[in-house]
Amino acid sequence: MSARGDGGRERADQESNGAPAAPERLSRTVIYQSPWVNLYADRVRYPGGTIIERHHLLEFDRRAVMALVENEVGDILFVRVPRYATGRADWELPAGGAEPGEEPVVAARREVLEETGYASDRYEKIHEYYPMNGISSATAYIFRCRAVERVAGFDSDEIADVRWFTPKEITAMIDRGEITDGYSLVALLLHLR
């Protein structure tokens, strides 16, 4: 008997490299499609053989980008964004979506300029992740960068205010539950750790 304890047979739920096999889509029903978001009901077979008849999947054509913008003393730039979905206006890090064919770092630089009016440089990718991996293949990219100078006003149709916060103020805001945006929290926790 092999050390795998299976009589030498490879398990059906693993690929030959030892990684778990991916679930397989058997069929797809389109529920809704738009340039922003698509919703599907997929019939899916999991590696162990279980079949899910209607696994709902959200697909976003645009990759999400976020920028953690620092100044020369380490303060971090926030935007206050009125959100229809939550009925609130909260402080968040500048973020948006990459246009088709646009590299994530280019999109992040563009979003910083549009949302804050600041030119920025020295971009470094902090992390890339799937923020909703149970229901979506959407990818988010988080960058850290430096503010160079304010060269324009911010987009007042989308942004209510722009403000610098110290790391100490940000930690207190997190502790009080005042920063509620998931993308911002992930970026801040990775940065402040």
Side-chain angles (χ1 to χ4, degrees), residues 50-182:
T50 300
I51 293 179
I52 305 296
E53 294 296 333
R54 287 182 61 86
H55 185 291
H56 289 82
L57 178 74
L58 285 169
E59 182 181 85
F60 298 90
D61 289 336
R62 297 175 61 183
R63 295 174 289 181
V65 296
M66 167 163 286
L68 191 145
V69 184
E70 291 182 289
N71 63 17
E72 65 281 353
V73 297
D75 295 340
I76 298 173
L77 189 59
F78 277 75
V79 292
R80 192 165 199 176
V81 184
R83 296 287 184 191
Y84 172 73
T86 61
R88 298 169 46 128
D90 290 320
W91 291 106
E92 305 175 6
L93 298 178
E99 299 294 338
E102 186 178 35
E103 289 299 314
V105 68
V106 174
R109 182 176 286 113
R110 176 182 48 75
E111 289 292 344
V112 168
L113 181 60
E114 289 175 3
E115 293 190 357
T116 71
Y118 278 88
S120 53
D121 66 5
R122 298 186 359 196
Y123 276 75
E124 166 197 4
K125 185 168 81 170
I126 296 176
H127 204 58
E128 173 184 340
Y129 71 108
Y130 299 104
M132 302 179 292
N133 66 352
I135 62 166
S136 178
S137 60
T139 307
Y141 297 82
I142 301 170
F143 296 92
R144 180 180 9 246
C145 64
R146 291 283 180 174
V148 176
E149 64 179 321
R150 192 158 201 177
V151 296
F154 59 84
D155 180 356
S156 60
D157 288 333
E158 184 179 349
I159 306 299
D161 199 4
V162 176
R163 182 175 163 202
W164 293 98
F165 289 94
T166 67
K168 185 177 180 179
E169 289 173 317
I170 293 165
T171 301
M173 291 166 70
I174 292 171
D175 290 344
R176 292 190 304 264
E178 295 174 8
I179 298 174
T180 59
D181 171 59

